[in-house]
Amino acid sequence: MHEVNASYVDFHCHLDLYQEFEKIVADCEREKIDTLAVTTTPLAWPRNKQLMLGKKHPRPALGLHPQLVKERSHEIDLWDKYLSEARYVGEVGLDAGPANYSSYELQQEIFTHILKSCSNAGKKVLSIHSVRSVPKVLELLDKHLTPNNCKFVLHWFSGSIGNAKAAVELGAYFSLNSQMIRNERTLNIIKQIPLDRILTETDGPFTERSGMPSHPRDVEQTVGELSSVLRYEHAELKSIISTNLQALLL
Ligand code: MN
């Protein structure tokens, strides 16, 4: 039996990049949307932490985005300073796309440091970016993240089916968004992911719904879209995703 009053899950959203940051945090709490508020720089941590203190549904994550590593690798010292305050880590990872390839070596150093630090600290949950770099991300996760109960979620996965299977073997969860469902290639991968490893996300405000930046509540529609492609009842899939979140956070 699944819980009847499960919450919706938006496990990757940049709440602090919305103009109405405070309002959207309050929306998540009031509407019971379990939202991972990822950040791109550790400079954003104190404000995110303060605003979500005592709230049940929005949860702040300590990040250093791979696309910012070229300019901000020195912020890793600040990231280290805050790690003991953070249960969630993200957005972190690697980006080997053309615009970020010049910092790819440096990104690997930073990401390795982040994974080692999380492993040493223990009990962290990571939201990971892996554009054009899934095999390297998996290699580093395998090497550096195994001990101490750390878990990870691959956000907006865009690797191959083989990569997805390797990631599942390593214990990955996947946060899925509506754009992935509408893309034929990523939809085929979604269909191969075990049901007990899926979560939903918006990646707002970097995605849109009806011409407006996505709101965390839009994951309700994402669950609807997933339920039709995976041939599940909406309520059943919502419960499964909520159960997956509880398992991830154990
Ligand atoms: Mn993101």
Side-chain angles (χ1 to χ4, degrees):
M1 285 295 287
H2 293 289
E3 241 182 291
V4 184
N5 278 318
S7 305
Y8 284 103
V9 175
D10 180 357
F11 210 72
H12 187 107
C13 188
H14 299 263
L15 297 185
D16 63 355
L17 300 185
Y18 289 80
Q19 281 191 347
E20 297 183 298
F21 179 27
E22 295 186 22
K23 180 186 174 296
I24 204 162
V25 167
D27 289 347
C28 292
E29 184 69 0
R30 193 182 58 254
E31 299 176 30
K32 299 184 168 55
I33 308 157
D34 283 324
T35 304
L36 188 71
V38 292
T39 56
T40 57
T41 151
L43 290 169
W45 174 253
R47 177 79 177 123
N48 275 264
K49 183 192 166 197
Q50 180 219 359
L51 209 50
M52 290 168 226
L53 196 69
K55 293 193 169 57
K56 184 166 183 270
H57 297 283
R59 304 141 195 253
L62 174 63
L64 183 49
H65 198 291
Q67 293 171 353
L68 299 186
V69 160
K70 187 177 180 182
E71 305 293 334
R72 293 173 177 256
S73 60
H74 59 279
E75 290 184 8
I76 193 65
D77 293 337
L78 196 56
W79 186 92
D80 279 335
K81 181 185 153 193
Y82 292 135
L83 182 62
S84 65
E85 302 176 3
R87 162 96 163 106
Y88 306 94
V89 169
E91 180 164 1
V92 295
L94 299 179
D95 191 316
N100 298 287
Y101 198 74
S102 67
S103 65
Y104 195 46
E105 290 292 326
L106 184 56
Q107 290 176 42
Q108 289 176 52
E109 279 176 41
I110 296 286
F111 187 48
T112 296
H113 174 91
I114 286 171
L115 295 176
K116 286 181 173 173
S117 303
C118 288
S119 293
N120 289 335
K123 295 188 178 171
K124 305 297 184 190
V125 178
L126 291 77
S127 179
I128 296 177
H129 177 109
S130 56
V131 168
R132 297 202 193 182
S133 57
V134 177
K136 181 57 79 178
V137 163
L138 296 181
E139 179 195 316
L140 296 179
L141 282 164
D142 190 26
K143 231 180 192 166
H144 303 298
L145 195 73
T146 37
N148 271 339
N149 303 320
C150 290
K151 293 189 180 166
F152 65 96
V153 180
L154 297 175
H155 133 72
W156 205 326
F157 181 85
S158 57
S160 66
I161 286 187
N163 292 162
K165 288 182 175 157
V168 168
E169 286 292 308
L170 278 180
Y173 286 75
F174 298 80
S175 51
L176 310 176
N177 62 51
S178 290
Q179 289 201 29
M180 295 172 70
I181 299 164
R182 289 184 208 123
N183 177 299
E184 194 185 344
R185 199 183 75 82
T186 39
L187 176 59
N188 281 326
I189 292 163
I190 288 171
K191 289 175 176 170
Q192 304 294 318
I193 297 172
L195 216 53
D196 64 356
R197 299 294 183 83
I198 66 169
L199 299 169
T200 41
E201 67 166 37
T202 58
D203 200 16
F206 298 111
T207 58
E208 294 188 342
R209 171 95 47 191
S210 313
M212 293 286 288
S214 300
H215 185 286
R217 71 172 71 93
D218 293 338
V219 289
E220 178 172 357
Q221 285 163 277
T222 307
V223 172
E225 292 156 4
L226 269 177
S227 68
S228 71
V229 296
L230 299 177
R231 299 177 196 284
Y232 262 81
E233 290 295 326
H234 185 118
E236 177 84 358
L237 195 61
K238 179 187 175 189
S239 285
I240 288 169
I241 290 167
S242 182
T243 303
N244 293 346
L245 180 67
Q246 302 314 316
L248 174 71
L249 302 185
L250 273 181

